[in-house]
């Protein structure tokens, strides 16, 4: 695969044109000022690195991330000129559906790798243009901001007496963003017709479902690099409306909570937010998921809070979701060695732990660690099959205990918590194989 250094030349001024310091000729009558920045060589190289880091599946044209550099070496000058002249047409996004824990499906759009590169280049410039306009309590998809900061902010506000949560869930936000409203917001801040036309084309590029193209009349497809910054632009109006009402709040992408000091105030805020979201944003509040409640009754970004000291705690929903992942990875029918199973566990558990590591209540994580080890003991016991007695004896279990366990009428899950299995496969056994401990600090 071509290196980024080698490829950067193909993203620069085409051969035969004079060097100008930018890959775009300033004298071009077609190229707008923002497009100059989008197509700047440094911006494009940064975008390419990000696309390569993100990897991801191929879009409708079948081109992979690994094939993109070679394609750019051949065709970038042509594509660049199309972008300058405003005639470039994005390809439809490939629609895939990811199952959600509640049985519904999340719709993801996979742009072609070329469109991912162009979108990423646009997103980087739009982020620079808009970040200073975003509210300080917006934490999602912004540089130097993350979910942990949002949780700490919410905890601080709750501890200051705003201990009622207005949990406002937007119904399928990314699928229902109003294109006209979004473009109006962009036009109010930018007079760059070339770039605005390109963004509008990305919004209306359509989706490809089972080989059939369908028009996209609304929404910003999740999966495209441009969607996060566009979602923040749409919801920036909500942030400043909450500020205007002197409300305490935090927002991460389309997850938003407002904090008030009483249930009555929370119910008033919920009603007014439903009106604002419907009338001003042309979106819908999901009344089944939205509610006014105490901090320990609601969850935000996978976290909740303890009743007494309002400490950060992993939500039950997040714990259940991880258990589902563990069950899938340790299915008996997989037939893999325990070393391979734990290696696969580690990938999921280490990422999970990195995100939930700010939890201050550790007892649920200790229980989860115990459950995972028991799940693994159950997996090993099933693999032993008729060799159970011999394996228990080999691992130091007494003859009497090994015999009673191996010949027991109880099932593998019941036996996985027995003294024989915990003695044969102690905690240190799994630790030595590299199993992460979620409660360890």
């Amino acid at each position: 695969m071509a290196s980024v250094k080698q490829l950067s030349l193909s993203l620069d001024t085409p051969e035969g044109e004079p060097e100008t310091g930018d890959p775009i000729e300033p004298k071009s009558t077609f190229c707008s000022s923002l497009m100059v920045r989008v197509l700047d060589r440094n911006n494009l190289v940064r975008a390419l690195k990000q696309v390569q880091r993100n990897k991801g599946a191929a879009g409708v044209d079948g081109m992979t991330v690994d094939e993109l550099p070679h394609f750019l070496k051949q065709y970038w000058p042509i594509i660049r000129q199309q972008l300058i002249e405003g005639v470039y047409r994005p390809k439809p996004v490939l629609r895939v559906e990811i199952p959600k824990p509640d049985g519904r499906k999340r719709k993801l759009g996979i742009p072609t790798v070329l469109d991912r590169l162009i979108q990423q280049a646009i997103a980087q410039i739009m982020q620079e243009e808009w970040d200073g306009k975003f509210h300080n309590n917006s934490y999602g998809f912004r540089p130097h901001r993350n979910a942990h900061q949002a949780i700490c902010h919410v905890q601080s506000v709750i501890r200051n007496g705003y201990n009622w949560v207005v949990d406002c869930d937007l119904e399928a936000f990314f699928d229902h963003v109003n294109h006209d409203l979004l473009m109006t917001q962009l036009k109010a801040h930018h007079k760059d017709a070339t770039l605005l036309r390109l963004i509008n084309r990305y919004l209306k590029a359509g989706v490809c479902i089972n080989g059939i193209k369908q028009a996209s009349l609304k929404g910003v497809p999740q999966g495209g690099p441009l969607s996060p910054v566009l979602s923040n632009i749409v919801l920036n109006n909500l942030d400043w409306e909450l500020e205007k009402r002197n409300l305490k709040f935090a927002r991460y992408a389309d997850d938003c909570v407002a904090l008030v000091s009483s249930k009555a105030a929370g119910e008033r805020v919920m009603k007014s937010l439903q009106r604002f979201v419907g009338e001003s944003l042309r979106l819908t509040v999901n009344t089944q998921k939205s509610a006014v409640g105490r901090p320990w009754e609601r969850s935000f970004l996978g976290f909740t809070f303890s009743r007494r000291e309002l400490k950060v705690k992993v939500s039950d929903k997040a714990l259940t979701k991880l258990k589902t992942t563990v069950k899938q990875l340790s299915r008996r029918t997989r037939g893999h060695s325990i070393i391979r199973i734990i290696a696969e566990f580690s990938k999921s558990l280490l990422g999970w732990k990195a995100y939930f590591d700010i939890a201050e209540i550790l007892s649920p994580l200790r229980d989860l660690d115990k459950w995972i080890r028991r799940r693994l003991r159950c997996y090993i016991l099933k693999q032993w099959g008729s060799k159970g007695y011999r394996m228990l004896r080999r691992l130091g279990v007494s003859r009497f205990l090994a015999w009673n366990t191996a010949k027991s009428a109880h099932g593998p899950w019941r036996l996985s918590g027995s003294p024989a299995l915990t003695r044969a496969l102690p905690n240190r056994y799994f630790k030595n194989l590299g199993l992460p401990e979620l409660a360890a600090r």
Side-chain angles (χ1 to χ4, degrees):
M1 186 177 73
S3 69
V4 172
K5 276 190 175 180
Q6 292 171 326
L7 183 60
S8 66
L9 293 176
S10 68
L11 297 176
D12 210 337
T13 307
E15 214 174 314
E17 293 186 18
E19 289 287 342
T20 64
D22 279 321
I24 303 301
E25 286 284 3
K27 65 184 180 182
S28 171
T29 57
F30 297 101
C31 194
S32 57
S33 58
L34 277 183
M35 282 300 289
V36 169
R37 291 170 58 190
V38 168
L39 298 174
D40 175 79
R41 172 184 167 186
N42 293 331
N43 186 57
L44 289 168
V45 170
R46 186 158 62 101
L48 178 62
K49 288 180 180 179
Q50 188 61 49
V51 170
Q52 290 176 322
R53 273 195 298 269
N54 292 343
K55 298 180 181 179
V60 293
D61 62 356
M63 188 191 304
T64 66
V65 173
D66 290 342
E67 293 168 337
L68 178 61
H70 180 71
F71 175 86
L72 292 174
K73 275 191 165 186
Q74 287 186 288
Y75 297 107
W76 179 249
I78 298 170
I79 296 163
R80 171 180 164 275
Q81 192 60 35
Q82 290 176 347
L83 291 166
I84 292 171
E85 296 176 0
V87 296
Y88 178 80
R89 296 278 177 178
K91 287 185 171 61
V93 299
L94 181 64
R95 169 66 57 81
V96 295
E97 294 183 338
I98 307 298
K100 297 172 73 173
D102 58 6
R104 297 185 303 164
K105 293 183 178 180
R106 174 178 285 112
K107 297 176 182 177
L108 293 181
I110 305 175
T112 65
V113 289
L114 174 61
D115 283 324
R116 294 213 287 270
L117 170 68
I118 298 170
Q119 281 195 39
Q120 181 64 39
I122 296 171
Q124 289 167 182
I125 299 304
M126 295 302 288
Q127 186 70 53
E128 292 173 4
E129 287 287 304
W130 278 86
D131 201 64
K133 300 179 179 70
F134 292 149
H135 195 282
N136 197 45
N137 291 358
S138 168
Y139 292 93
F141 307 126
R142 296 181 62 187
H144 313 300
R145 288 171 174 268
N146 55 48
H148 291 177
Q149 294 169 337
I151 294 299
C152 291
H153 173 71
V154 169
Q155 183 185 41
S156 174
V157 173
I158 292 171
R159 284 179 168 174
N160 282 331
Y162 298 88
N163 51 13
W164 283 89
V165 177
V166 182
D167 187 354
C168 187
D169 184 272
L170 300 179
E171 180 74 42
F173 166 74
F174 284 91
D175 296 331
H176 291 101
V177 169
N178 185 281
H179 290 174
D180 293 337
L181 181 64
L182 172 56
M183 292 308 301
T184 299
Q185 284 181 261
L186 292 173
K187 288 174 185 176
H189 290 85
H190 305 291
K191 306 303 178 187
D192 195 318
T194 306
L195 182 57
L196 292 177
R197 189 183 304 116
L198 180 59
I199 291 174
N200 192 49
R201 284 177 180 165
Y202 272 116
L203 292 174
K204 300 185 183 302
V207 296
C208 190
I209 304 173
N210 297 325
I212 301 172
K213 181 183 175 181
Q214 296 183 9
S216 47
L217 304 177
K218 59 183 179 179
V220 288
Q222 284 181 272
L226 191 53
S227 296
V229 67
L230 293 182
S231 68
N232 271 338
I233 291 171
V234 171
L235 294 176
N236 195 40
N237 285 345
L238 174 61
D239 296 341
W240 289 106
E241 178 65 21
L242 293 171
E243 173 69 25
K244 181 180 173 183
R245 300 181 187 188
N246 294 317
L247 288 170
K248 310 292 183 183
F249 73 95
R251 182 178 66 79
Y252 189 99
D254 58 330
D255 289 321
C256 182
V257 291
L259 296 312
V260 295
S261 55
S262 70
K263 184 177 182 180
E267 290 173 347
R268 287 196 301 271
V269 169
M270 178 65 79
K271 288 180 181 178
S272 63
L273 281 180
Q274 287 175 340
R275 284 196 301 272
F276 177 81
V277 167
E279 294 171 4
S280 298
L281 301 183
R282 302 179 195 174
L283 297 168
T284 305
V285 172
N286 186 333
T287 54
Q288 293 183 338
K289 289 189 173 182
S290 301
V292 177
R294 291 294 200 175
W296 50 88
E297 297 170 340
R298 308 302 301 173
S299 64
F300 179 51
L301 303 178
F303 294 93
T304 185
F305 299 91
S306 64
R307 183 188 289 264
R308 285 190 177 180
E309 298 177 347
L310 295 170
K311 290 184 176 181
V312 178
K313 180 182 176 183
V314 179
S315 71
D316 290 341
K317 185 177 178 181
L319 293 171
T320 301
K321 188 176 179 181
L322 180 62
K323 278 190 171 186
T324 300
T325 301
V326 169
K327 286 178 180 178
Q328 290 173 345
L329 291 175
S330 57
R331 294 191 311 274
R332 180 184 181 182
T333 53
R334 300 192 72 205
H336 298 320
S337 70
I338 190 63
I339 294 175
R340 179 170 173 180
I341 291 293
I342 289 180
E344 292 180 3
F345 270 27
S346 295
K347 292 179 183 178
S348 296
L349 296 181
L350 288 174
W352 194 92
K353 181 179 179 180
Y355 180 77
F356 288 103
D357 207 37
I358 64 166
E360 298 168 303
I361 302 295
L362 299 182
S363 53
L365 301 186
R366 294 191 190 99
D367 291 341
L368 188 55
D369 280 331
K370 291 177 184 176
W371 180 86
I372 290 172
R373 287 191 292 265
R374 183 172 178 180
R375 181 81 187 178
L376 290 172
R377 290 186 183 105
C378 183
Y379 183 86
I380 294 171
L381 182 59
K382 287 176 180 178
Q383 282 197 328
W384 286 346
S386 60
K387 299 185 296 183
Y389 173 75
R390 293 197 302 275
M391 296 304 298
L392 289 171
R393 290 289 292 137
R394 187 180 299 173
L395 292 169
V397 179
S398 69
R399 181 181 289 109
F400 176 78
L401 187 57
W403 180 261
N404 284 343
T405 302
K407 299 303 178 182
S408 172
H410 295 305
W413 177 251
R414 176 79 175 269
L415 293 175
S416 64
S418 68
L421 266 292
T422 52
R423 190 172 302 171
L425 303 169
N427 295 354
R428 66 176 179 274
Y429 170 80
F430 298 107
K431 187 175 182 179
N432 290 340
L433 289 179
L435 180 69
E437 292 185 19
L438 302 177
R441 292 291 185 269

